[in-house]
Amino acid sequence: MSQVSVKGMLFDAEVAPLLPRMDSVNSHRETLQRLQDNWDHLTLLGQMSGIAADITATGEAFKSLSGQLLNTLAHRLLDNVVQQLQGKAQVAIDILVRNLFERTADVGFLATDTTVRQTLCAGLPAHEVQAILAARFKAYVAKYSVYDDVIVLGTDGRVLARLDTTTQATSCQHAFLTTTLGGQQAFVESFDHMDVLDGRRGLMYAAPIRDERARVLGALALSFRLDDEMAGIFGHLIEGDPFQLLLLCDARGDVIGSSDAFRIPLGTRLTLDPNKPGHQCVCFAGRLYLAVITHASGYQGYMGPGWLGCALIPLENAFDATLSCMAKLGGCASSQPGDAQGTQAIDASAFFDESLQAIPRQAQQIQKGLERSVWNWELHTRHQSDNREANNNRFAAALLQQVGLTGERIRHVFEQAIAELGESVAASVLRDATFRASLAIDIMDRNLYERANDCRWWSLDGSLREALARRDAATQRKACEVLTHINSLYTVYTRLVLLDTQGEVVAMSGADAPSWLGRTLDMPWLRSATHLSDHQAWVKSGFEPSPLYEGRHTYVYAAAVHGDNGKALGTIAIVFDGEPQFAAMLQDTLHAEDKRMQALFVTRGGMVVASTAACFKAGDASPVPATLWATLQAGQSLGHVVHIEGVPHAVGISMAAGYREYRGACTGKSDDVLALLLLPIRQPQAEASNDTAAARVVIPPARQSNADRALASFMCGGQHLGLDADSVIEAMAPRPLTAIPGAPAYLAGLLLHQGKMLPVVHLRVLRGHGADQAEGAHRMLVVCSSRDGFRFALIVDELAGIIKVPESAQHALPDGMARFDPTAQGIVRGQAHGPHSPMMIVLDANRLEACLNGRQAA
């Protein structure tokens, strides 16, 4: 990817135009540039001391890493916003398409309604046709609030009957009618300004009405309440967000639906590329927006009208809004009483790519190199005998100290930036899990809304009533045909069953219907359904094994079929094909690219309804304790961190809220349904760190005297240790060693140093602290010399500075300590902090040599 220079830093061309809006990136860039300016000044001073090469090389390394950090942060901020917009745009269009799929089935069913067909064939006066069919449609639409009109049109375009009598139009000349009457399509879908709707815009579903000989009598059209539906979808997805916008657009970019018609009105044409992946910028009314376009995923092979989901956010709010939203969610992660695990329990680095994870390590490597340079120059200064050269070296050491401090500040900026990003990522993980759980349960609510309505729709069918009333072979065969036709339209059911008041199977859809006819069923839901006196009433079974579903768990919905006298003749029962349908709902909520994510539907009582994971089967106990959602009310959600079999998971939990007038999935009982979204995460790992800053000794200030002592100090095994600076030659970065076969554990190998092979000692092991836990960049080699010139190297955890110790801080070894620590010579007491005073142990190079040689001899 090409790069662009922005105020002295190189950024990828994709993010460079967005940088003025990324306050956090700009804040870190300004801080790093100020430090880089300081570095440039130090480099000039370094020319006077001969160490410019060291400073320049390190400065270039920091500058390169700074650019990498800022560029990565910018991409992360952009990715966070785009992923959020992408998810909402995709959900908006996919939920709509799922809804419209049901409409394609509804119009096919209603066009075959016995009363509609018989009324059109009866040759009745127009006012009687209107009265009969309007009453019929009213009964249907009372169960489905998604339609604002149902219209029957003649073959000449005349309105023969309609539900909405306030509309003035008496005929239809729109092209959708011609296509419908042609009879070549099972349904016709049309969105336009319709003459039959008095010129208003509408989404119409139409199907031909045929007589017994399949001759076209006219067309039945359903007018879908699109604006009402989109308001519900948009409101749910952007609840509480004042900046984001959601749109429904056609293929040309014309706005069909808007979550805020004041900012982007209906009918607006946006200059968006529907085929461009990722984000794009669009300008409307003098304002720049970051936008994402998504195509429908499709449902049951139906792709919808070809519309697009679009999510936008003003560019000036895009990145601030993301961070505030994340922070807000982070607060709710611990909303449950007694919960101590929120975003702090998530190791955000588990979600960083390798390039981002490497930045702190690289910064630490550079910083340790600086520390080593400062350490060595201070040693070098002490070893000089010439006063003028010593003065110059003291200047160089002082300069390097400033360089080291500057490097430390740069590293701190890196760590702060990564930490901020980590917090946002952790909050984002919980937010995303909760959002997807909320999406899953919303899809279920909407789906089960359709099931509750379907059984009541079909209970009105005249052929089913006739089969129950007459009970002869012809009407039974006809009822089986009707049920099979309905089942072919509504493919989410395993079978549809017609039963009499005694539970005997009168008719059934499907090829295996003959084997069921005449059998008597006895189930709690069936007994309840036969006593329903209200056309609007329905019953639902518990989520339980059913013989109508081959003994598997599912839901059965049922409604009473009433005769002309209002008395129940029997029951229509619909068996939901739960396993694949629930699995598809859950699968639609997951990130296709993240295979670790799992989704479940669970009852409030803790029983699994469905799962995307093979290890959690319907009827099993939930892997997440039910106590987490015991007090969760309808529509409420929360994010949490839960351990499942010892593995921490980010868990999104969302309780069902129902949809429109349907409240069947949340009644406050144990069989309420909720959605769980599980994402395994990595536990925060305390690095095998050698950095025990709290244990470092702070030397109290004192006047200089001849008894002051210079110690080269380092950390090892959690202790602050020191050696006389005169006995230390230099510190070196870790490097390959020559192994010594059969050597004791404390002897790591041999090091080639200034033409000589030196033994290298694991100081931790020699001092009895066990195996060395510091690896790679955390180790340092300290080359020492005893009084008689014997040289050896120590492996230590990290360097801790050249310290001048006043006489008042120097103390002899406490009684008995020498016996347990033969390498120690004395101790240094530092400034007291709290009840205990920190202590540095002063080692002796001669004792180290004696100990080393003694063990070798042994």
Side-chain angles (χ1 to χ4, degrees):
M1 183 180 295
S2 61
Q3 291 195 313
V4 177
S5 178
V6 179
K7 296 186 177 180
M9 293 280 185
L10 289 177
F11 291 89
D12 291 341
E14 181 184 32
V15 297
L18 306 176
L19 289 173
R21 309 297 183 182
M22 295 180 173
D23 290 343
S24 61
V25 175
N26 288 323
S27 175
H28 291 308
R29 177 185 55 76
E30 290 169 2
T31 302
L32 286 169
Q33 283 189 322
R34 284 195 299 270
L35 291 170
Q36 194 66 50
D37 289 342
N38 290 343
W39 200 287
D40 292 341
H41 294 150
L42 293 172
T43 301
L44 290 175
L45 293 174
Q47 300 288 344
M48 303 166 56
S49 61
I51 60 170
D54 284 350
I55 300 177
T56 302
T58 307
E60 289 299 321
F62 266 133
K63 186 173 183 179
S64 174
L65 195 58
S66 296
Q68 183 183 340
L69 170 71
L70 295 173
N71 197 46
T72 303
L73 288 178
H75 274 288
R76 274 287 173 169
L77 286 178
L78 177 59
D79 289 346
N80 283 343
V81 177
V82 170
Q83 286 173 10
Q84 189 179 153
L85 295 177
Q86 181 102 28
K88 292 188 177 184
Q90 193 68 61
V91 167
I93 188 62
D94 284 350
I95 284 183
L96 176 64
V97 167
R98 278 177 168 270
N99 193 317
L100 299 186
F101 168 77
E102 302 285 349
R103 312 292 67 90
T104 67
D106 286 352
V107 71
F109 162 71
L110 200 53
T112 63
D113 180 77
T114 303
T115 300
V116 173
R117 296 163 68 180
Q118 289 177 350
T119 302
L120 292 186
C121 292
L124 299 173
H127 70 280
E128 290 189 26
V129 172
Q130 167 64 26
I132 294 171
L133 294 186
R136 189 67 165 167
F137 298 154
K138 185 177 180 180
Y140 274 119
V141 174
K143 300 163 181 59
Y144 267 104
S145 60
V146 297
Y147 300 115
D148 55 33
D149 205 357
V150 183
I151 310 169
V152 174
L153 300 165
T155 54
D156 58 357
R158 287 183 302 116
V159 175
L160 303 180
R162 75 185 313 156
L163 177 65
D164 182 9
T165 56
T166 64
T167 304
Q168 301 299 313
T170 59
S171 66
C172 176
Q173 301 302 319
H174 196 276
F176 87 82
L177 178 60
T178 303
T179 306
T180 303
L181 295 175
Q184 301 302 309
Q185 300 179 25
F187 69 91
V188 174
E189 183 178 55
S190 180
F191 178 73
D192 202 354
H193 290 274
M194 305 282 187
D195 54 1
V196 74
L197 298 176
D198 287 349
R200 72 176 172 85
R201 188 189 69 161
L203 176 59
M204 199 77 77
Y205 287 85
I209 303 171
R210 303 176 187 271
D211 64 11
E212 295 291 341
R213 298 182 181 180
R215 293 177 300 184
V216 175
L217 303 175
L220 185 133
L222 300 175
S223 177
F224 181 66
R225 298 172 62 189
L226 178 64
D227 292 341
D228 179 69
E229 176 64 15
M230 295 315 301
I233 293 174
F234 291 157
H236 175 71
L237 291 174
I238 63 173
E239 182 180 8
D241 192 317
F243 301 117
Q244 287 188 8
L245 279 164
L246 285 173
L247 305 177
L248 182 67
C249 300
D250 64 17
R252 298 175 302 180
D254 291 348
V255 177
I256 298 170
S258 173
S259 63
D260 190 338
F262 289 101
R263 284 193 282 173
I264 299 187
L266 299 180
T268 300
R269 177 168 293 184
L270 298 177
T271 54
L272 293 167
D273 182 353
N275 298 311
K276 183 179 179 181
H279 72 281
Q280 48 192 300
C281 288
V282 59
C283 183
F284 177 74
R287 197 174 196 183
L288 274 173
Y289 290 88
L290 192 68
V292 172
I293 291 283
T294 57
H295 295 260
S297 303
Y299 181 63
Q300 302 278 316
Y302 169 71
M303 298 304 296
W307 294 340
L308 307 168
C310 181
L312 308 91
I313 189 167
L315 205 53
E316 67 265 26
N317 306 120
F319 307 104
D320 291 342
T322 301
L323 294 175
S324 64
C325 179
M326 290 175 178
K328 181 173 67 176
L329 180 81
C332 84
S334 301
S335 60
Q336 284 293 92
D339 171 27
Q341 297 192 69
T343 56
Q344 69 275 10
I346 299 179
D347 179 11
S349 67
F351 303 96
F352 290 168
D353 56 31
E354 178 55 34
S355 64
L356 196 54
Q357 291 183 17
I359 288 175
R361 296 196 297 266
Q362 290 174 302
Q364 190 176 49
Q365 284 280 67
I366 297 171
Q367 180 60 29
K368 285 189 175 296
L370 278 177
E371 290 175 351
R372 190 176 67 253
S373 295
V374 171
W375 211 77
N376 285 335
W377 269 98
E378 289 193 34
L379 285 175
H380 183 66
T381 299
R382 291 196 55 81
H383 296 162
Q384 296 300 319
S385 56
D386 179 79
N387 288 335
R388 187 171 59 182
E389 187 175 356
N391 289 334
N392 186 58
N393 284 332
R394 278 193 291 272
F395 169 76
L399 177 62
L400 277 171
Q401 280 187 318
Q402 291 302 311
V403 171
L405 289 174
T406 304
E408 180 62 34
R409 294 189 190 104
I410 294 176
R411 186 170 71 94
H412 177 71
V413 175
F414 288 171
E415 291 175 349
Q416 185 181 33
I418 297 295
E420 288 176 5
L421 183 59
E423 289 177 7
S424 71
V425 167
S428 179
V429 168
L430 284 179
R431 174 181 54 79
D432 187 57
T434 305
F435 169 72
R436 292 184 178 279
S438 175
L439 167 62
I441 204 64
D442 184 54
I443 291 175
M444 174 186 256
D445 277 337
R446 289 167 171 272
N447 196 296
L448 297 187
Y449 162 81
E450 304 287 348
R451 313 294 68 88
N453 290 338
D454 285 350
C455 64
R456 294 180 294 160
W457 268 58
W458 304 334
S459 70
L460 301 176
D461 188 88
S463 57
L464 301 184
R465 295 165 61 186
E466 188 177 8
L468 288 171
R470 295 178 58 177
R471 300 296 296 273
D472 58 36
T475 57
Q476 187 178 45
R477 183 173 59 255
K478 178 62 176 176
C480 286
E481 291 173 357
V482 168
L483 292 177
T484 299
H485 172 68
I486 294 173
N487 209 164
S488 71
L489 296 171
Y490 298 82
T491 55
V492 298
Y493 300 110
T494 298
R495 53 173 54 93
L496 312 180
V497 188
L498 185 66
L499 306 106
D500 65 14
T501 54
Q502 303 304 311
E504 181 181 332
V505 177
V506 175
M508 181 181 284
S509 65
D512 63 341
S515 65
W516 285 88
L517 299 181
R519 291 173 58 178
T520 300
L521 304 179
D522 182 19
M523 301 173 187
W525 58 263
L526 180 56
R527 292 192 292 272
S528 299
T530 55
H531 292 90
L532 295 175
S533 58
D534 186 354
H535 285 282
Q536 292 293 98
W538 52 275
V539 297
K540 182 184 76 170
S541 73
F543 185 71
E544 59 195 15
S546 172
L548 295 171
Y549 198 53
E550 287 75 46
R552 294 172 291 165
H553 285 73
T554 194
Y555 290 113
V556 178
Y557 287 78
V561 179
H562 296 92
D564 293 335
N565 59 2
K567 185 178 179 180
L569 301 174
T571 301
I572 171 84
I574 58 180
V575 184
F576 187 53
D577 193 7
E579 284 188 3
Q581 294 302 321
F582 284 137
M585 295 178 208
L586 292 172
Q587 198 63 49
D588 284 351
T589 68
L590 302 182
H591 282 301
E593 64 275 11
D594 194 339
K595 303 303 182 184
R596 300 172 303 160
M597 196 175 280
Q598 299 168 346
L600 299 89
F601 288 129
V602 178
T603 66
R604 187 186 288 274
M607 180 177 67
V608 174
V609 171
S611 169
T612 58
C615 54
F616 307 130
K617 300 185 183 302
D620 289 351
S622 165
V624 178
T627 52
L628 281 184
W629 56 76
T631 60
L632 212 58
Q633 301 300 308
Q636 289 186 337
S637 302
L638 63 88
H640 213 285
V641 176
V642 175
H643 283 73
I644 301 174
E645 295 183 353
V647 178
H649 287 68
V651 180
I653 305 172
S654 188
M655 182 65 70
Y659 174 65
R660 293 184 180 268
E661 61 273 14
Y662 174 74
R663 292 294 179 267
C666 190
T667 60
K669 299 178 182 178
S670 64
D671 60 351
D672 289 350
V673 181
L674 55 101
L676 300 179
L677 202 291
L678 311 180
L679 179 62
I681 55 180
R682 199 165 59 193
Q683 296 189 64
Q685 297 292 329
E687 293 185 9
S689 175
N690 37 55
D691 186 8
T692 51
R696 294 192 184 190
V697 173
V698 178
I699 304 300
R703 290 185 177 182
Q704 290 188 357
S705 73
N706 293 332
D708 290 351
R709 188 177 185 185
L711 296 177
S713 70
F714 42 84
M715 306 301 298
C716 189
Q719 294 179 325
H720 195 173
L721 306 175
L723 276 166
D724 263 320
D726 292 338
S727 65
V728 177
I729 299 170
E730 67 172 317
M732 302 172 65
R735 58 198 60 198
L737 304 176
T738 302
I740 305 175
Y746 63 82
L747 199 57
L750 296 175
L751 169 70
L752 180 62
H753 179 261
Q754 296 179 358
K756 296 181 180 180
M757 299 299 287
L758 310 184
V760 179
V761 177
H762 270 300
L763 190 57
R764 279 177 180 260
V765 179
L766 183 66
R767 291 177 53 77
H769 292 295
D772 189 355
Q773 299 299 311
E775 296 294 339
H778 293 296
R779 298 190 304 178
M780 283 288 173
L781 295 172
V782 175
V783 180
C784 310
S785 175
S786 64
R787 274 193 301 268
D788 59 7
F790 177 77
R791 290 190 176 189
F792 56 95
L794 303 175
I795 296 178
V796 303
D797 294 344
E798 66 176 289
L799 304 177
I802 309 299
I803 302 174
K804 287 188 177 181
V805 181
E807 183 179 13
S808 59
Q810 302 173 34
H811 302 276
L813 286 176
D815 293 342
M817 184 174 174
R819 187 164 42 129
F820 295 103
D821 193 349
T823 61
Q825 182 190 59
I827 62 172
V828 173
R829 297 281 187 188
Q831 286 180 318
H833 295 281
H836 302 289
S837 174
M839 178 180 70
M840 177 197 298
I841 300 175
V842 182
L843 306 181
D844 182 83
N846 299 316
R847 295 188 184 189
L848 284 168
E849 178 196 354
C851 188
L852 180 61
N853 288 332
R855 294 195 183 201
Q856 284 178 332

